[in-house]
Amino acid sequence: MEGVSPRQQLIMTLARQMGSVTVDDLALRFDVTPQTIRKDLNELCDARLLARTHGGAMLSSGVENLAYEARRLMAATEKVVIGRHAAGLIPNNCSLFMNIGTTTEEVARALVHHEGLLVITNNIHVATILMPRPKIEVIVAGGMLRKTDGGIVGEAAVDFITQFKVDHAVIGASAIDEDGAMLDFDYREVRVAKAIMKNARNVMLVADAMKFTRTAPVRIGHLTDVDVFVTDRAPPEPVVAYCKENGVKLEIADGLAGNDNAMDAAE
């Protein structure tokens, strides 16, 4: 990377591995002052290689998605909380789609004690999580397996999904714009997500608050296309307004049993 110091190159390597870095951790790791690290991060952000976050920076997105392991580790605790809350909104004895995403995988982990579920998915990790459960049937979409993250994408997967009409769909997104647009990186994955949304009676979006700081080039749809949005913190005010104006139920999962907040947007 031209114009980037050796330490900044190492910072970029860490950011690619973990998705985000913090000033305190980097200062300790490189035995320099926090001010030195802030200068490094500012220069990397000015070069649009990183994007600032509170107390650090994250890998800048917009064209290329983070590696699967980095995505899995980012906001890991928040995704667990979202997964448990979302699973609590899904009844026993129903059918549902679950698409690609590390947050949908946390929903799957929280569904393992449900009964009478029929789960149709294009996510190999979701299938692996739910496969051992005797009271959950799993159907895996056919198509090209994306080795980077275990997602099944392409026209065959889209055609497969359109054979079903299910009770619920659980979908994720790589980014959510302030105008309410849900965004992703791979147009093949987006086509499957659109088919899932079209063929479900109720659509639930699961996404952590970090998705509001990211961007991606391919449009999945708009928040008004979903029925329920489960996240870990209150979204930006324009997003809250979109939900209220269009009857989208906004669920804020705070991780405390019996203390999750719901904003009924239909009111």
Side-chain angles (χ1 to χ4, degrees):
M1 292 179 288
E2 188 176 350
V4 175
S5 71
R7 185 175 59 243
Q8 290 172 348
Q9 290 181 4
L10 290 172
I11 290 172
M12 287 301 303
T13 298
L14 289 168
R16 290 191 184 97
Q17 291 173 348
M18 301 185 292
S20 64
V21 290
T22 67
V23 171
D24 291 344
D25 178 66
L26 292 174
L28 185 64
R29 185 184 294 267
F30 293 109
D31 193 24
V32 296
T33 66
Q35 289 78 10
T36 297
I37 293 299
R38 289 191 187 96
K39 183 175 181 291
D40 285 335
L41 295 183
N42 286 337
E43 290 177 1
L44 291 169
C45 290
D46 288 343
R48 298 193 174 183
L49 296 171
L50 294 179
R52 287 308 300 260
T53 62
H54 181 69
M58 62 184 289
L59 196 63
S60 182
S61 63
V63 177
E64 183 178 354
N65 203 2
L66 300 175
Y68 172 77
E69 190 61 22
R71 283 186 281 131
R72 192 179 66 80
L73 293 174
M74 286 181 70
T77 301
E78 291 83 352
K79 290 173 183 177
V80 170
V81 170
I82 291 168
R84 290 173 179 169
H85 189 104
L89 301 175
I90 297 170
N92 289 324
N93 303 306
C94 72
S95 55
L96 67 150
F97 288 129
M98 301 189 74
N99 83 336
I100 301 168
T102 54
T103 310
T104 56
E105 291 167 20
E106 291 302 333
V107 180
R109 288 188 178 91
L111 284 172
V112 295
H113 298 297
H114 274 54
E115 299 180 356
L117 295 186
L118 172 64
V119 178
I120 301 137
T121 185
N122 64 324
N123 185 334
I124 287 294
H125 298 294
V126 166
T128 301
I129 292 164
L130 296 177
M131 178 184 64
R133 312 311 300 181
K135 296 181 180 180
I136 298 177
E137 296 293 330
V138 180
I139 299 176
V140 181
M144 187 187 77
L145 177 64
R146 197 165 57 189
K147 293 184 179 181
T148 54
D149 63 358
I152 299 170
V153 296
E155 291 303 315
V158 173
D159 292 343
F160 185 85
I161 293 296
T162 57
Q163 297 179 72
F164 299 89
K165 186 73 174 183
V166 303
D167 300 315
H168 300 274
V170 179
I171 65 167
S174 293
I176 303 171
D177 234 22
E178 278 207 359
D179 68 0
M182 301 183 296
L183 306 166
D184 224 309
F185 291 90
D186 189 335
Y187 73 93
R188 299 167 302 172
E189 178 179 343
V190 166
R191 291 205 57 174
V192 179
K194 286 183 174 180
I196 284 173
M197 293 168 66
K198 185 178 179 180
N199 291 282
R201 297 180 182 91
N202 296 281
V203 178
M204 180 189 301
L205 171 66
V206 290
D208 63 84
M210 192 172 287
K211 299 300 190 299
F212 296 110
T213 67
R214 304 183 69 199
T215 185
V218 189
R219 184 185 177 95
I220 301 171
H222 193 272
L223 274 173
T224 56
D225 298 323
V226 310
D227 300 287
V228 181
F229 175 24
V230 183
T231 187
D232 60 297
R233 292 204 305 270
E237 193 54 43
V239 173
V240 175
Y242 278 120
C243 292
K244 287 183 178 178
E245 291 165 7
N246 294 278
V248 179
K249 189 171 185 182
L250 180 58
E251 298 266 345
I252 310 298
D254 65 12
L256 300 176
N259 195 32
D260 289 342
N261 302 312
M263 299 182 186
D264 192 343
E267 292 181 353

